[in-house]
Amino acid sequence: MQIGFMTSFEPQFGIGIDIGTSTVKAYLVKNTRFSSDSKLENQQQSEKTSQNEIIAEIQEKNSQYLYGKDVISRVMYAHYNGITKLQEAITFQLNTIIKRLCQNQEKISSIVITGNTVMLSILQGFSLQGFEKHPFKSPSTFGYKIQNPSIIPNQEIYLTPAISPFLGGDAVSALFHILKTQIYKTEIFQAQNSQNPQNPKKQISQTAKETKDNFQQEKYPFLLLDIGTNGELFLVTQDKIIGTSCAAGPAFEGENLSRKITGSTAINYLSKMLQENLIDKTGYLQPNTHSPLTQEDIRQLQLAKAAIRAGIETLLQETKTQDTQIKKVYICGNFGNALDTKSLATIGLIPKSFENKISYQGNAAGFGTINLLFSSNPQHLTQEITTKTQVLELGGNPIFNQHYITHLNF
C-alpha cells in the first residue's frame, strides 16, 4: 500500500529571450515546484520536482534590422557609425517586450538572454572590431550575470556563454536544450528504471554503466543544425563535440523573399518546383512560369542551402564520419511548423540518408533559456558544452569551399 501527497510551493516567474539576428523571441515562464512524499511499508521517499509552463510569448523583428539585415552588415554599420544606435535599439525593444510580458504584474525572479556573439556584444555596448576580419576575435565569451536598468531595473540577467566569435550563446543554448530534453534525461530515466529493487546498491552502478553504454550506441553520433541567418552546426559523439558556423543569410527565416512566407514554406515551394521541372539543376527558373518564388528568391535559397550542406559535409569529412552513421538530426530555427523533411532532401540541404532521422525542435535556443531560468547555477550547466566543444573553422577551409561549389546546384 502506498500513501502519497503532492504539495506545491509559490510559483516563480521568469523570462527567457533569444535575440536572433532577424527575430527576437521572448517567453514568460511560470515555474511551479512540488514536493512529493510517499510511504511504502518500511521505506519513505521524498523528492522535489518542478514544472515550467510558457504562459505568454512575443516574437518581433529585431529592431536593429534598420541598420543591417545580417551580422556582417551590422558589424560594418558599427565600424562607420559606432555601436550606440544598435545598442539603444535592442535595449529599448527588450524593455518594451518585458513590460508587455509583465503587464499582469508578475514578479520576475529570473531572466536569461541568449543570442549570437555579435548580438550579445551589441547589447553590452562592446566594440565589434574583432568581427571585421580574420582572425576573428570576440570582446567577451559572456556566461555571466549583468544588471541593466535600461532593460529591467533591480534584476540580474544571465547572458549565455559563447564558444567562439561565431558559435555564440544561442548555439550553446540550443545544444543545451537538446542534451537536456532529448539525451541526458532519457539516459537518467533508463538508468533509474533499470535498478534491481532486491539489491539496489550493487545493481545501480552496474546497471548505470550498461545503460550508458547501450544508450550511447543508440543515440550517438547526432547532428544539431541551428539554421538561421548564421547557421550553427554541431556533430556530437560519445566523447566530443565539434562545432562550426556558416553564413546562410536570412532566406531560411523568410526574410528578404518577395513574399512574406516562412522558411519551411519557401523550402516546400522550392522542392515542388524542382520536382515539376520548373527549375533546372542550376536554379534557373523556366520562362513564363507562374511561380510563388522569383528568380532572386531561388538564388537566395540556393546560396543558403549550399552553405548549410557544405558545413554538414565538412563536419562529416573532417571527423571521418559517414552520413549513414548519424543516428539523429535535430533541426531548429525559424522554419515554422510545416517543415517537410522530404523537401529538405529534395533541394539538397541534407543528404538523403538523413530524411527519416530528422527531429524538428523549433526555437531550441529560446527553449534552452527556459531550461536555465530557475537554476541556481546556470554557469555550471553550460560549462561542459563550452569547454568540451572543438571549433572547426570554415573560413578558407578548402574542403568547405569545394563542397560549397558542388552543392550550389540542385
Side-chain angles (χ1 to χ4, degrees):
M1 177 180 177
Q2 177 174 327
I3 302 173
F5 60 88
M6 298 286 289
T7 303
S8 65
F9 295 85
E10 187 73 22
Q12 294 179 298
F13 293 89
I15 294 177
I17 300 175
D18 173 23
I19 306 176
T21 308
S22 301
T23 306
V24 176
K25 288 189 174 181
Y27 305 90
L28 176 63
V29 181
K30 181 171 77 171
N31 174 264
T32 305
R33 291 174 59 243
F34 298 93
S35 174
S36 70
D37 296 305
S38 56
K39 294 183 180 179
L40 302 178
E41 290 181 359
N42 37 359
Q43 179 183 6
Q44 183 171 339
Q45 302 181 48
S46 178
E47 62 177 2
K48 291 181 180 179
T49 60
S50 65
Q51 177 179 305
N52 290 336
E53 178 187 0
I54 299 173
I55 58 177
E57 60 183 275
I58 292 175
Q59 175 175 321
E60 295 181 348
K61 180 179 285 189
N62 189 320
S63 56
Q64 298 168 2
Y65 199 79
L66 296 170
Y67 308 104
K69 295 179 180 179
D70 54 33
V71 165
I72 300 303
S73 60
R74 289 180 206 170
V75 169
M76 295 315 298
Y77 177 89
H79 176 84
Y80 292 105
N81 303 282
I83 198 75
T84 302
K85 285 190 176 180
L86 290 166
Q87 184 187 25
E88 288 177 346
I90 191 61
T91 299
F92 179 78
Q93 185 173 21
L94 294 183
N95 176 263
T96 303
I97 286 174
I98 290 172
K99 286 180 178 177
R100 288 170 59 193
L101 286 174
C102 299
Q103 58 186 343
N104 293 328
Q105 307 301 318
E106 285 90 352
K107 184 179 180 181
I108 303 302
S109 62
S110 177
I111 295 181
V112 176
I113 296 180
T114 194
N116 65 50
T117 317
V118 173
M119 294 302 104
L120 294 188
S121 295
I122 292 173
L123 182 67
Q124 287 290 80
F126 294 154
S127 169
L128 304 184
Q129 289 183 359
F131 299 103
E132 293 181 3
K133 59 182 179 180
H134 191 272
F136 300 108
K137 186 177 181 181
S138 172
S140 174
T141 54
F142 306 100
Y144 49 70
K145 294 182 179 181
I146 65 167
Q147 285 196 344
N148 188 331
S150 297
I151 297 175
I152 184 171
N154 305 317
Q155 177 67 56
E156 285 190 329
I157 300 170
Y158 179 63
L159 304 180
T160 56
I163 297 169
S164 70
F166 291 106
L167 276 177
D170 53 347
V172 173
S173 185
L175 185 54
F176 177 75
H177 170 70
I178 298 301
L179 291 171
K180 179 176 173 61
T181 62
Q182 306 295 320
I183 307 298
Y184 295 152
K185 184 176 181 180
T186 306
E187 180 176 1
I188 293 168
F189 176 81
Q190 289 176 342
Q192 287 176 338
N193 285 276
S194 301
Q195 295 175 12
N196 183 345
Q198 295 180 342
N199 194 357
K201 290 185 179 180
K202 179 178 179 181
Q203 196 71 19
I204 285 174
S205 177
Q206 179 183 348
T207 303
K209 183 181 184 306
E210 291 174 353
T211 301
K212 184 177 181 181
D213 291 342
N214 294 334
F215 171 81
Q216 289 180 337
Q217 291 175 8
E218 179 187 351
K219 297 293 184 180
Y220 295 101
F222 69 84
L223 278 173
L224 168 64
L225 313 179
D226 190 352
I227 302 175
T229 305
N230 185 57
E232 291 104 359
L233 319 177
F234 290 95
L235 175 63
V236 184
T237 69
Q238 293 183 23
D239 52 10
K240 60 184 175 181
I241 303 171
I242 304 92
T244 192
S245 65
C246 51
F252 286 143
E253 295 191 330
E255 301 289 342
N256 274 17
L257 300 180
S258 59
R259 297 177 61 183
K260 191 172 182 180
I261 55 177
T262 64
S264 59
T265 303
I267 290 170
N268 294 342
Y269 279 149
L270 193 60
S271 173
K272 186 176 181 181
M273 293 168 71
L274 281 166
Q275 291 173 317
E276 295 177 354
N277 296 317
L278 301 179
I279 307 171
D280 67 16
K281 68 177 183 179
T282 70
Y284 175 69
L285 179 64
Q286 301 299 329
N288 303 317
T289 299
H290 294 287
S291 164
L293 300 173
T294 66
Q295 184 66 75
E296 178 60 27
D297 293 339
I298 294 167
R299 293 302 183 208
Q300 287 192 55
L301 291 164
Q302 202 169 353
L303 294 171
K305 180 270 297 188
I308 298 298
R309 179 62 183 272
I312 294 171
E313 297 293 345
T314 306
L315 266 179
L316 294 174
Q317 188 170 337
E318 292 277 23
T319 57
K320 297 180 173 58
T321 306
Q322 300 296 320
D323 61 277
T324 53
Q325 293 178 280
I326 299 298
K327 299 296 194 299
K328 200 81 173 177
V329 181
Y330 299 99
I331 294 184
C332 47
N334 291 331
F335 281 114
N337 296 321
L339 187 64
D340 180 9
T341 56
K342 186 175 182 180
S343 295
L344 293 175
T346 299
I347 71 171
L349 190 144
I350 59 170
K352 288 192 179 295
S353 63
F354 288 0
E355 191 174 317
N356 296 318
K357 301 175 182 178
I358 300 294
S359 175
Y360 178 56
Q361 296 291 311
N363 182 30
F367 298 150
T369 66
I370 294 172
N371 291 326
L372 291 167
L373 269 177
F374 303 102
S375 166
S376 60
N377 191 356
Q379 295 96 325
H380 175 74
L381 294 176
T382 53
Q383 184 178 13
E384 183 178 3
I385 294 173
T386 55
T387 57
K388 196 175 181 181
T389 301
Q390 303 172 24
V391 179
L392 175 62
E393 296 288 352
L394 297 182
N397 187 314
I399 297 175
F400 174 80
N401 292 339
Q402 183 57 54
H403 283 300
Y404 182 77
I405 293 169
T406 300
H407 292 288
L408 278 171
N409 284 344
F410 292 109

